[in-house]
Amino acid sequence: MNNLIADIDIIPGEEAQACDFKTTVDEHTGKTRKLYIESYGCAMNFADSEVVAAIMKEGGFDTTSDFYQADVIFLNTCSIREKAEQTVRKRLTDFQRAKKSKPEMTIGVLGCMAERLKEKFLEEEKIVDIVVGPDAYRDLPNLLSIAEEGQKAVNTFLSREETYADISPVRLNSNGVTAFVSIMRGCDNMCSFCVVPFTRGRERSRDPYSIVEEAKDLFSKGYKEVTLLGQNVDSYKWSPEENNKARLNRKEEDVTTVVNFANLLEMVALVDPSLRVRFSTSHPKDITDDVLYTMKKYDNICKYIHLPAQSGNSRVLEMMNRTYDREWYLERVSKIREILGEECGISSDMITGFCSETEEEHQDTLSLMDIVKFDFSYMFFYSERPGTLAAKKYPDDISLEVKKRRLSEVIKKQSASSLERNKLDLGKEQIMLVEGPSKKSEDDFKGRNSANKVVIVPAGNYSKGDYLTVKIIDCTPATLFGEVLEINPKN
Ligand code: SAM
Ligand code: SF4
């Protein structure tokens, strides 16, 4: 297996992508200066870049897709695995030529890598002018003006309150149909392998009314699907005390109740029956039956749960500090099947070769995958991250060769399960939401069914944003192919 596999996310889509990133598009609203943002890593980071773009717009910037044209280049970075950080460093060398031809250009590093390395980043990468952590984006205009005066600037302050609730994100690279909505920030879980609690700070939930307003605004602009984002959405909990009410000027009666994730899901589902609602990520220790019943109650809440298992072995899960064991995980899956049925999509994240993992324990991961039959998984081999509990407590003692071999076995298992699960859809009628033309052929449209599976249909007299009733006629492990029966009356 080659090196590339280390960072291949098996995307629930038409293709697997290596270390994917998103850039800004050309925008011409008459602003005088140009901003180019490249975003790496998870959906939370992509959502954050949209907040950054909104702050920069206020500061007089339109976005550009060409970094040579930019006055400011931002790299919104990921630290989750070593490979992600290497990619960012390599990318910085590509910006050197642009900076040479335009020395007044400012280069900023944002996000998790900025938070992890702080001032050290400026020492290590001379091309970088500003370093900004995920909770300090409001300070960007100030940091930029410091950099424009020729000084380096850093703000990596982690907040206990910041949720950017009052900022209306500027949608970047949008298909105009689906959008991410951030509902919380940070994580309090301390999984031993994970750097996120250190780079994104303490968990805090965003004001639910601002979330509903954002969903309503998106719907009024033609969006048909929102994905509510958080590292652990099931621990969403908003209470008036936790929040900075003043900033949002809520009416007294709006801020008296505690809102949990099931309540929030319902509030967003009620925005409109033709606005689909998704969410990610669910934590096996926290997902409640209440959430499952709320999903069942509303047709427009998609029947799909991303429930990362990480491992199928209880000893390894304990060392990972996941706070559930194999039996607990399987019980949660049974509950999902009992309440939402076989058709509910379930996906996972898996890590192979975690510290001291034996061959038998690896087999437990494969057997868990056999029992659950995930629709798809994001699969990684363990990458030790400095400062994490695992890095402090456990030797990273599984060789790269073994980690990669186990990963290839996990990928093979997943591919077989994905195909098996997709075959169950053959001959069925399903509703898909059209997201736009397929990347592979102009003659086809691409969309997703409720279970988050990509469905490809021949192009026809319908357009993106339409709901279609389709019959599934063929499949691969990653894709369903359908024939269109009708434009769904839900439109
Ligand atoms: N909050 C989510 C959860 O609890 O499942 C996931 C967040 S993390 C950004 C995404 C995935 O990256 C994790 O689920 C895990 O599988 C993987 N990951 C995190 N740290 C890792 C590490 N040190 N090595 C390999 N994979 C890692
Ligand atoms: Fe990382 Fe665990 Fe938090 Fe997910 S729940 S972000 S894996 S610490």
Side-chain angles (χ1 to χ4, degrees), residues 364-382:
D364 284 346
T365 296
L366 296 174
S367 80
L368 181 103
M369 294 176 81
D370 265 336
I371 297 169
V372 180
K373 304 270 183 228
F374 294 109
D375 292 270
F376 47 86
S377 291
Y378 299 92
M379 297 160 280
F380 317 98
F381 64 72
Y382 174 59

Side-chain angles (χ1 to χ4, degrees), residues 189-195 197-198 283 320-322 388-390:
N189 276 331
M190 300 303 276
C191 299
S192 65
F193 52 79
C194 186
V195 80
F198 305 97
H283 197 296
M320 288 177 163
N321 200 26
R322 288 289 288 180
T388 55
L389 293 182

Side-chain angles (χ1 to χ4, degrees), residues 284 287 292 305 307 309 326-342 344 346-347 368 371-374:
I287 188 165
L292 304 179
I305 300 176
L307 192 71
R326 178 184 172 96
E327 285 63 42
W328 175 278
Y329 187 89
L330 289 173
E331 187 280 330
R332 288 289 77 199
V333 169
S334 299
K335 205 71 189 177
I336 293 169
R337 293 274 169 250
E338 182 192 316
I339 297 172
L340 295 167
E342 278 304 313
C344 180
I346 304 180
S347 61
L368 181 103
I371 297 169
V372 180
K373 304 270 183 228
F374 294 109

Side-chain angles (χ1 to χ4, degrees), residues 400-413:
L400 194 57
E401 194 191 342
V402 170
K403 284 178 181 174
K404 287 183 175 179
R405 194 252 305 145
R406 290 181 188 166
L407 177 61
S408 72
E409 289 169 12
V410 163
I411 290 173
K412 197 166 155 211
K413 179 71 69 189

Side-chain angles (χ1 to χ4, degrees), residues 428-489:
K428 290 198 177 142
E429 281 185 24
Q430 299 185 340
I431 296 175
M432 70 178 274
L433 173 62
V434 180
E435 291 174 15
S438 155
K439 280 189 196 151
K440 287 190 180 153
S441 159
E442 279 181 11
D443 299 334
D444 292 331
F445 273 20
K446 174 197 148 180
R448 279 168 210 269
N449 67 9
S450 175
N452 204 32
K453 292 182 187 175
V454 170
V455 186
I456 303 292
V457 291
N461 198 15
Y462 34 80
S463 46
K464 66 180 189 174
D466 283 345
Y467 287 101
L468 305 176
T469 308
V470 298
K471 184 172 168 186
I472 305 302
I473 52 171
D474 200 0
C475 69
T476 67
T479 312
L480 300 175
F481 298 90
E483 69 185 24
V484 179
L485 301 178
E486 61 163 357
I487 298 188
N488 195 274

